[in-house]
Amino acid sequence: MHGELPPGQALTLRGIGREFDVSMTPAREAVRRLVAEGALQLSSSGRVSTPDLGPDRIEELASIRALLEVELASRALPRAHFALIERLQTINTTIVQMVAARDPVGYIRTNLEFHRTLYLRAQAPAMLALAETVWLQLGPTMRDLYGKLNRTEPPQFHRVILAALKAGDEPGLRLAVRSDVTQGLRLLSS
Amino acid sequence: MHGELPPGQALTLRGIGREFDVSMTPAREAVRRLVAEGALQLSSSGRVSTPDLGPDRIEELASIRALLEVELASRALPRAHFALIERLQTINTTIVQMVAARDPVGYIRTNLEFHRTLYLRAQAPAMLALAETVWLQLGPTMRDLYGKLNRTEPPQFHRVILAALKAGDEPGLRLAVRSDVTQGLRLLSS
DNA sequence: GTTTTTATTTTGTGATCACGTTTCTGCATG
DNA sequence: CATGCAGAAACGTGATCACAAAATAAAAAC
């Protein structure tokens, strides 16, 4: 989810077991779960690897993110008090630091923390779980994305999201979240 | 997914293994996958059972169904030729038979087949997979639902969906799908 | 030097087992 | 009749093993 692995990275049960000092059995269960959630791909021979998504799949997952996360943000809006907005601003400054430090994993993790912190207020655990499933599928792809465009620009739409939250502007919030979620991924699919 | 198990039904790895003539290992992997997809619940002691959803969770899952399936139907609309609509009508008559036969499992399975047949035309596999994940979570609850109201009414909104498909009426289709998806589940959560 | 074939290593799968924990059953007690 | 308690049965977990399939490395042929 955090982009620690590149797309198409192959994994083995014995390797995972060795890495975490367990036998094959727990490694197998973890891998099976991640496969069920789309975080890992299972080849026909039972081999497992990180997904290497094509442009159309990336675009579809971006659409799903927009669909779910716009709804989550919209539901969180009425419950978003100042303490939450302040916390989001703190997270946002951390994102800026991660961009400056050229740390893609830290960037992705903090960026997702920003979104999750907001969506937790929506009181919709099942919807949030579905959104996180999509994040899981996009992890390696996002790593590639922020590796290719190594710019120093902080996420521009996060400020718009914060402004819409403060103003209680629901249409503005929906548009800002949709833009933020779609923005980067459009670059990869074109 | 098809409502073969009631909510809260307990399952054991050894029991599943005995039922399908395998050892505990494959049973464990299957259960872990189903838990990851939300089809089964894992208690704190590792015991597994069918989920017994509360009213708010049911309502949330209904909202997710509406969100995803309205989008899927909308994407399928431009590609819905007459052969597809005819197939949907055939499936719909089967649903009527299932209602008449008082067969809840057959009803649920055929009803979901109706929806899946339409959504397959949307060319959005990830979105469809997410929708099926929600169906999986709602299976036992739907069984309860169609067990409590043992009426003889066929799904009224399916005809509206078919009419909107024929007319190429996108707003009408979106409303019809939303109504069909929300309809039954609202009864259970109130 | 490139391609094909063979041998070796590595991999996933399903089964089985021992262990600690939890749950259930039946009986005694209040 | 309800309640608490001890014994027994059943459960999930992690580990290990044998086996077949697959991928890799090495060797042979052209």
Side-chain angles (χ1 to χ4, degrees):
Chain A
M1 179 188 285
H2 297 155
E4 299 177 16
L5 301 178
Q9 174 74 256
L11 297 174
T12 65
L13 298 183
R14 288 177 173 87
I16 295 171
R18 211 174 305 127
E19 185 174 348
F20 295 97
D21 261 312
V22 292
S23 78
M24 288 174 57
T25 313
R28 252 205 297 192
E29 294 191 9
V31 161
R32 291 300 237 219
R33 171 176 173 184
L34 289 169
V35 167
E37 292 177 303
L40 293 176
Q41 252 176 342
L42 199 62
S43 90
S44 59
S45 66
R47 247 118 180 145
V48 81
S49 64
T50 308
D52 192 0
L53 307 176
D56 43 355
R57 177 59 65 101
I58 293 177
E59 212 162 341
E60 188 192 349
L61 290 174
S63 299
I64 299 176
R65 282 199 64 179
L67 211 61
L68 292 177
E69 300 190 25
V70 162
E71 177 71 18
L72 281 166
S74 183
R75 291 187 181 213
L77 178 58
R79 307 175 195 269
H81 301 329
F82 183 70
L84 176 70
I85 299 178
E86 206 174 21
R87 185 136 42 100
L88 289 174
Q89 275 170 330
T90 303
I91 297 175
N92 209 28
T93 61
T94 306
I95 295 181
V96 175
Q97 295 172 12
M98 294 297 175
V99 171
R102 300 257 200 274
D103 178 3
V105 172
Y107 178 94
I108 296 174
R109 181 179 50 237
T110 318
N111 182 44
L112 293 182
E113 189 189 344
F114 179 90
H115 286 263
R116 181 169 22 230
T117 301
L118 174 58
Y119 304 153
L120 267 175
R121 274 297 199 289
Q123 305 273 48
M127 207 177 295
L128 178 55
L130 247 50
E132 292 192 318
T133 286
V134 180
W135 297 350
L136 219 38
Q137 299 182 38
L138 283 172
T141 298
M142 284 180 151
R143 175 197 181 88
D144 255 28
L145 174 64
Y146 296 108
K148 281 177 181 169
L149 54 91
N150 44 0
R151 297 180 181 173
T152 54
E153 36 172 78
Q156 41 182 149
F157 288 109
H158 280 199
R159 298 196 166 279
V160 186
I161 292 175
L162 289 170
L165 281 174
K166 285 177 188 167
D169 173 18
E170 191 193 329
L173 178 63
R174 297 179 80 99
L175 181 61
V177 170
R178 165 175 283 273
S179 304
D180 181 61
V181 156
T182 308
Q183 167 213 20
L185 293 173
R186 281 286 147 88
L187 292 180
L188 255 192
S189 64
S190 64
Chain B
M1 181 188 285
H2 296 155
E4 300 177 15
L5 302 178
Q9 174 74 257
L11 298 174
T12 66
L13 298 183
R14 288 177 172 88
I16 295 171
R18 210 175 306 127
E19 185 174 349
F20 294 97
D21 260 313
V22 292
S23 78
M24 287 174 57
T25 311
R28 250 204 300 191
E29 294 192 6
V31 161
R32 291 299 238 216
R33 171 175 173 185
L34 290 168
V35 167
E37 292 177 304
L40 293 176
Q41 252 176 343
L42 199 63
S43 90
S44 59
S45 67
R47 244 114 181 153
V48 81
S49 64
T50 309
D52 193 0
L53 307 175
D56 43 354
R57 177 60 64 101
I58 293 176
E59 211 162 342
E60 188 192 350
L61 289 175
S63 299
I64 298 176
R65 281 199 64 180
L67 211 61
L68 292 176
E69 300 190 26
V70 163
E71 177 71 18
L72 282 166
S74 183
R75 292 189 181 210
L77 178 57
R79 308 175 196 268
H81 303 327
F82 183 70
L84 176 69
I85 298 178
E86 206 175 19
R87 186 135 42 98
L88 289 175
Q89 275 170 330
T90 304
I91 297 175
N92 210 27
T93 61
T94 305
I95 295 181
V96 175
Q97 295 172 12
M98 292 297 175
V99 171
R102 299 258 201 273
D103 177 3
V105 172
Y107 176 94
I108 296 175
R109 181 178 49 236
T110 318
N111 182 46
L112 293 182
E113 189 189 344
F114 179 91
H115 286 264
R116 180 168 24 229
T117 302
L118 174 59
Y119 304 153
L120 267 175
R121 274 297 199 289
Q123 305 274 48
M127 207 177 294
L128 179 54
L130 245 50
E132 291 192 317
T133 285
V134 179
W135 296 350
L136 218 39
Q137 299 182 37
L138 282 171
T141 297
M142 283 179 152
R143 176 197 180 90
D144 255 27
L145 174 64
Y146 296 108
K148 281 176 180 169
L149 53 91
N150 45 358
R151 297 180 181 171
T152 53
E153 37 170 80
Q156 42 181 148
F157 288 110
H158 281 199
R159 300 196 164 279
V160 187
I161 292 175
L162 290 170
L165 280 174
K166 285 178 188 166
D169 172 19
E170 191 193 328
L173 178 64
R174 297 179 80 98
L175 182 60
V177 170
R178 167 176 280 274
S179 303
D180 181 62
V181 157
T182 308
Q183 168 214 18
L185 293 173
R186 281 288 147 88
L187 292 181
L188 255 192
S189 63
S190 64

